[in-house]
Amino acid sequence: MFGSYFALNPALREKIVELLEKARHKRAIIYYDLNFRHTHTQEVVRLTSTLIENLEYADIVRGSTEDFMNFYKLDDPDKIYKEKIKFYCPNFIYTRGADGVELRSRNYEKSYPVPPVETVSTIGAG
């Protein structure tokens, strides 16, 4: 499992690729959690090729509405999967907070509702 800005950061790229190559060689399931925050949106153009490389390494890609709005300015899970993910990685999990979870793969798509949760604190969430 890898993700966040650290998986895109040019200063850390060599070590990330080394880790991903080892995982691939060991036949691990590679789960990429985009986790791309608003504070890095000014870097999207520069980071796009690295993001695509991460997608190519991944067996499963997971991202939230916020992640894909920040990176691609898109919030439709079908459009994101078909236009941005599917070519590179066959399995996609899209989380929509209280609006549920979307799962997409080459032969399967499903929406999952989430029960309401009373949030006590968001400190440490994620």
Side-chain angles (χ1 to χ4, degrees), residues 18 27 60 64-65 71 96 109 114:
E18 182 181 324
R27 301 179 53 112
I60 302 167
S64 69
T65 303
F71 206 92
R96 303 167 67 116
E109 69 177 61
V114 295

Side-chain angles (χ1 to χ4, degrees), residues 7 11 16-17 29-30 44-46 49-51 55 57 59 69 77 80 86-87 91 98 108 111 117 119 121:
I16 295 293
V17 169
I29 295 171
I30 301 174
V44 165
V45 171
R46 184 173 62 85
S49 63
T50 305
L51 174 79
L55 296 175
Y57 274 107
D59 297 296
M69 281 302 295
I80 294 165
K86 185 178 180 179
F87 181 77
N91 304 299
Y108 186 80
S111 298
V117 175
T119 304
S121 171

